[in-house]
Amino acid sequence: MALHRVSLGLRRTVAHARSLHTGGICHQQEAAYSTIESEPEPFSVFRTQESDPACQTEKHIGQYYTIPAAHIPTLFPHGLPRRYHKQIKTFNEASVMVRQPALEVISYLKKVDESKPVQRFVFYGLKGSGKTMSLFHTVHYLYTQGWLVLHVPDAHLWVKNCRELLSSSFNSARFDQPLQAAEWLQNFKKTNEPFLSKIKIKQRYVWTKREFTEEGSHLGELVDQGITRVKSSSDVVGAVFKELRLQSGQPGSNFRLAVAVDGVNALWGRTAIKKEDKSPVDPEELTLVYNLRKLMRNDWSGGVIVTSLTQTGSLFTPKTSYLPQQLLGQEGFDCMDPFIPVSVPNYSEKEFESCYLYYIDRKWLQHPQGRTEDGKKELIFLTNRNPWALEKICASL
């Protein structure tokens, strides 16, 4: 009975929120949705039909929107968190809750001055609070607005899981990770296919005595070089970063560059990779990390940098650490400074209620006691409204 009262209360809130949409695109979408039955189906109060992140406002906070299925393989070919990827398969949809941290960053992005040095945003918060999903939501906005998205879905994988490590042919003091670099290039190509034939490189690159990429070639040819010649893939990634950074914001540039990195603190931490003499490899000795660090600087314009800090996979740091200076360390903090920190808290009461109803609707929460008022209170007690903890506990119910 209590659950029914909450649903009716939230239902009135959603109905009121829909009347406040503004903008041409939003009005068109409202017209399309006007044919849908005005009385929502049971539990639909936790959803919004507004699937365009550019039209979402604070009135949608706590509601889930569904990402079009066609966007997933293109935008996130390698960027889905493992548990969320399983959830998409189980629920047969990719839904994301609209939350304040993502809306805050999106509001800044709408007003960004592309003629000024790039602004840097850092999502931070307790483990499992939803930092990756806030970044996920922001990246979806950038993609729908036509930005060129350079996405590194988990920087920690570059410093701890190395399938092959080779001495760099370009700089003997650094190490290449050819398999990981080639995989990243393949996914970068999938996400940004329309741009690869429009952007021309400004420099000639020599890979071997017989292989080179001429100045004036399309960016797609440079990317294909790294995919087909895996040995040079790490250096190709560096060349792609360099070309995009130097051309972004310049006269005649036909793209806006959005750099998105999940787990950016890995770039200044310690690695789990060992050299032949068993000594640890420094992050700056890795070609991929070295070049990505340069991209994190704000010495270029015409784009934005959106990142998140993560404790998961953060090597050799206390599990209780979550603040930017704790996870970035002094070197990383100095490199990223100035940046705009955006805190990602645990769910609010409204967000928890919405997630709770969504899990019931998707039959993720099936235990009869879990659907009672006492069961809901116990979930709040056990999880402290932490999104990751709630998902994990409900999976077993």
Side-chain angles (χ1 to χ4, degrees), residues 140-252:
H140 185 224
Y141 163 79
L142 292 165
Y143 176 76
T144 59
Q145 295 302 299
W147 289 68
L148 190 159
V149 179
L150 193 158
H151 187 202
V152 179
D154 190 352
H156 289 106
L157 295 180
W158 287 3
V159 299
K160 68 175 184 178
N161 294 336
C162 184
R163 288 172 286 175
E164 186 175 6
L165 191 69
L166 301 176
S167 294
S168 172
S169 57
F170 178 74
N171 187 330
S172 59
R174 291 201 287 268
F175 296 93
D176 291 345
Q177 297 160 284
L179 297 180
Q180 288 168 302
E183 182 181 9
W184 184 88
L185 287 169
Q186 289 173 344
N187 290 298
F188 173 80
K189 182 177 180 178
K190 290 178 184 177
T191 302
N192 300 289
E193 187 78 42
F195 294 98
L196 300 184
S197 60
K198 298 177 182 179
I199 301 173
K200 294 186 177 181
I201 62 176
K202 303 295 185 181
Q203 182 179 330
R204 183 176 190 264
Y205 296 94
V206 179
W207 312 111
T208 66
K209 292 181 179 180
R210 297 182 180 181
E211 294 183 338
F212 50 85
T213 305
E214 289 288 359
E215 177 183 350
S217 300
H218 290 113
L219 185 65
E221 296 178 40
L222 185 62
V223 172
D224 287 338
Q225 170 68 31
I227 295 174
T228 57
R229 297 291 186 268
V230 177
K231 187 176 181 180
S232 60
S233 59
S234 294
D235 290 330
V236 170
V237 170
V240 170
F241 288 178
K242 178 181 178 180
E243 289 289 339
L244 294 176
R245 177 170 56 87
L246 295 180
Q247 293 190 43
S248 178
Q250 299 304 307

Side-chain angles (χ1 to χ4, degrees), residues 120 259 261 264 267 292-298 305:
R120 293 173 288 192
V259 180
V261 183
V264 70
L267 304 184
L292 187 55
R293 275 189 183 186
K294 291 198 292 185
L295 200 58
M296 291 295 103
R297 301 172 187 166
N298 67 339
I305 298 174

Side-chain angles (χ1 to χ4, degrees), residues 338-369:
F339 63 87
I340 299 175
V342 181
S343 175
V344 182
N346 287 338
Y347 282 151
S348 64
E349 290 185 17
K350 179 181 177 181
E351 290 171 337
F352 177 87
E353 188 71 33
S354 178
C355 184
Y356 176 75
L357 293 174
Y358 180 69
Y359 284 167
I360 291 177
D361 177 62
R362 297 287 91 189
K363 295 181 173 53
W364 192 247
L365 179 59
Q366 297 190 27
H367 197 286
Q369 293 300 317

Side-chain angles (χ1 to χ4, degrees), residues 28-45:
Q28 292 174 10
Q29 290 181 342
E30 282 185 358
Y33 295 141
S34 64
T35 59
I36 299 176
E37 218 175 287
S38 59
E39 181 66 16
E41 298 177 1
F43 298 121
S44 66
V45 292

